[in-house]
Amino acid sequence: MKKWSLLALLIAMMLVIAACGSDESEEGTTSGDGGTEGETYTVGIDTTYPPFEFEVDGEYTGIDIDLIKAIAENQGFEIEFSPMDFGGIIPALQAGQLDVAIAGMSITEERKEVVDFSDPYFDAGLSLVVAESNNDITALEDLEGKTVAVKSGTTGAQFARDNEAEYGYTIAQFEDSPSMFQEVSNGNADVLLEDYPVIAYAIAESGLDLKTVGERLTGDQYGIAVLKGENAELLEQINAGLEELRASGEYDEILAKYIAAE
């Protein structure tokens, strides 16, 4: 009887040890803030949007690309990029094709109805942009009878629609920024609306025959988006990672790599 009791005791101890080991293994797969380490998330991007997102020799690069990579590394999850036209990013989130969107996306009340945004990560703002030789347009009041080029799905497009009746211009929509830039350079449109850092970078790097005029029209802030009511833990991780990158100075290093301080 004593031998059987000892054997039973040994078996019970082994089961307890195995159970504890299993708990430790499971705990090791979660990060400190409740998110899951090792998960892979699909990130929607628009690679026609330098200096935030563009492609060089088959590799994605830019402020947004470096930033989301750094956040993922900081928080212990993996990402896969899914490039698409900007106007298709929120529909792709709604369709479950994306987990995250980072695409120079301005935080607006309209977008907040369908997505949850991270803390702001960049202060932007719309500018009027004309051909270098154009000295007739310097403000919205000069746009009556003119053609204004915008990129579909952007805050620039929304701003143009909101103010079309007041200032009396016609809107021409494009699916990507380069086509919009070319339309104004060629004289087929009179002016375009674009986020200041984007157009400033494009003019400096590409030698576009364009210039910005007047004051910034808006004070937009960019945010990283997930579908509203979904991926709350991931959004917490994104905010935590963003905060740590700011504190460490890595955030400033990423910005300085692509744009000079104003």
Side-chain angles (χ1 to χ4, degrees):
M1 287 294 292
K2 288 183 179 180
K3 289 182 179 180
W4 284 110
S5 297
L6 180 61
L7 179 60
L9 178 61
L10 288 172
I11 291 172
M13 289 176 65
M14 289 173 66
L15 289 173
V16 170
I17 292 171
C20 290
S22 176
D23 287 344
E24 288 174 0
S25 176
E26 290 175 3
E27 287 174 2
T29 64
T30 59
S31 63
D33 65 329
T36 302
E37 289 187 353
E39 286 284 349
T40 299
Y41 298 104
T42 304
V43 181
I45 57 174
D46 172 11
T47 57
T48 68
Y49 202 61
F52 291 91
E53 301 172 6
F54 55 109
E55 194 171 350
V56 177
D57 297 328
E59 297 290 331
Y60 302 134
T61 188
I63 293 170
D64 287 352
I65 303 300
D66 289 4
L67 186 61
I68 195 65
K69 281 182 176 179
I71 290 171
E73 181 177 359
N74 180 274
Q75 293 294 301
F77 59 82
E78 303 292 328
I79 54 175
E80 293 179 351
F81 291 116
S82 180
M84 61 186 66
D85 290 339
F86 184 84
I89 288 179
I90 288 181
L93 280 171
Q94 292 175 302
Q97 297 167 355
L98 301 175
D99 301 301
V100 188
I102 183 169
M105 186 180 293
S106 297
I107 300 171
T108 68
E109 293 305 315
E110 181 181 9
R111 288 174 180 158
K112 283 182 179 180
E113 293 179 4
V114 290
V115 302
D116 290 324
F117 281 106
S118 70
D119 297 333
Y121 70 88
F122 191 85
D123 294 330
L126 290 172
S127 287
L128 288 174
V129 184
V130 299
E132 182 67 39
S133 59
N134 187 332
N135 296 315
D136 299 326
I137 298 174
T138 59
L140 291 170
E141 290 76 13
D142 301 323
L143 298 183
E144 185 173 359
K146 307 297 185 183
T147 299
V148 177
V150 298
K151 183 176 174 181
S152 297
T154 64
T155 53
Q158 185 62 54
F159 183 93
R161 287 193 296 271
D162 291 344
N163 292 278
E164 183 178 12
E166 181 177 354
Y167 294 103
Y169 50 74
T170 300
I171 298 172
Q173 292 204 106
F174 298 87
E175 294 304 316
D176 59 81
S177 295
S179 297
M180 179 175 62
F181 299 160
Q182 195 64 45
E183 195 77 353
V184 175
S185 292
N186 291 342
N188 296 324
D190 300 290
V191 62
L192 66 87
L193 290 171
E194 182 60 282
D195 287 339
Y196 176 80
V198 175
I199 191 60
Y201 177 87
I203 291 172
E205 294 295 316
S206 304
L208 296 175
D209 185 27
L210 300 173
K211 64 182 179 182
T212 60
V213 292
E215 299 294 326
R216 294 194 202 181
L217 305 176
T218 61
D220 296 349
Q221 292 183 306
Y222 291 166
I224 303 167
V226 301
L227 187 62
K228 191 172 184 65
E230 304 291 337
N231 277 330
E233 290 185 355
L234 174 59
L235 194 60
E236 289 178 7
Q237 286 183 282
I238 289 170
N239 281 331
L242 183 58
E243 184 177 350
E244 291 192 24
L245 293 179
R246 288 185 188 277
S248 69
E250 187 173 355
Y251 169 85
D252 291 329
E253 292 174 4
I254 291 172
L255 260 60
K257 180 179 174 182
Y258 297 97
I259 55 177
E262 292 185 64

